[in-house]
Amino acid sequence: MGFLNATVHDPVDAEKDYRHIMAPGETVRFAFKLIRDAILFTDKRIVTIDVQGMTGSKKRFVSIPYRAITTFSVESAGHFDLDTELTLTVSGAAPIELMLSRGADVHGLISLLTERLAR
C-alpha cells in the first residue's frame, strides 16, 4: 500500500461526526481526512473509516487497539518536502502508511503513540 495523503481534521468535529462508534468517555486526540476516508487516533484506539461505493452510504470501520501496533516510524519533512511520512506496523495486518500534511501536530502524535505503545 502506498502512502495515503492525510489532511488534518479537527478532532472535535471528528468526534461529533463519529460519536456513534465511540465508547463512553472516549476522546479523539488526532484526526485525519483521506479524501472520503478518515483515520482517528483516540485515547483508547485507532479507528479507520473506509467510505465505499458511489454514494458513500456504505462504510467500513476498523478498530485497532494500540497494543496491536508493533512498530511505528516517522520520516520528517525536509526543506523541500512539506509532508511527514508516518508508518504504523499492525500485527496481522498490512501497514498503515500516511503522508501527513503540513500543519499536523506530528510531535503530539508521536507522543501519543509512544505513550500507548510503551505500556
Side-chain angles (χ1 to χ4, degrees):
M1 171 198 294
F3 281 94
L4 300 171
N5 289 325
T7 57
V8 176
H9 185 44
D10 181 26
V12 174
D13 290 340
E15 198 166 314
K16 289 176 188 172
D17 293 344
Y18 300 108
R19 175 56 37 206
H20 62 285
I21 63 164
M22 307 292 286
E26 186 173 16
T27 305
V28 175
R29 301 270 306 273
F30 299 93
F32 299 96
K33 285 278 199 180
L34 311 161
I35 303 176
R36 295 192 315 170
D37 302 337
I39 185 166
L40 312 177
F41 292 82
T42 77
D43 55 344
K44 300 184 184 303
R45 62 193 169 135
I46 299 170
V47 180
T48 63
I49 298 103
D50 178 16
V51 179
Q52 301 173 353
M54 294 291 286
T55 62
S57 60
K58 182 177 177 182
K59 294 182 175 100
R60 179 176 183 240
F61 299 93
V62 177
S63 176
I64 304 166
Y66 284 108
R67 68 179 178 276
I69 305 296
T70 55
T71 63
F72 73 91
S73 66
V74 177
E75 185 174 327
S76 63
H79 292 292
F80 299 106
D81 185 12
L82 300 178
D83 299 320
T84 299
E85 297 170 5
L86 170 68
T87 302
L88 303 170
T89 306
V90 181
S91 178
I96 297 171
E97 300 172 320
L98 300 172
M99 183 76 72
L100 304 176
S101 64
R102 193 175 213 42
D105 181 6
V106 176
H107 296 292
L109 185 54
I110 290 170
S111 293
L112 173 66
L113 290 169
T114 302
E115 173 190 328
R116 296 299 172 188
L117 272 61
R119 291 182 172 189

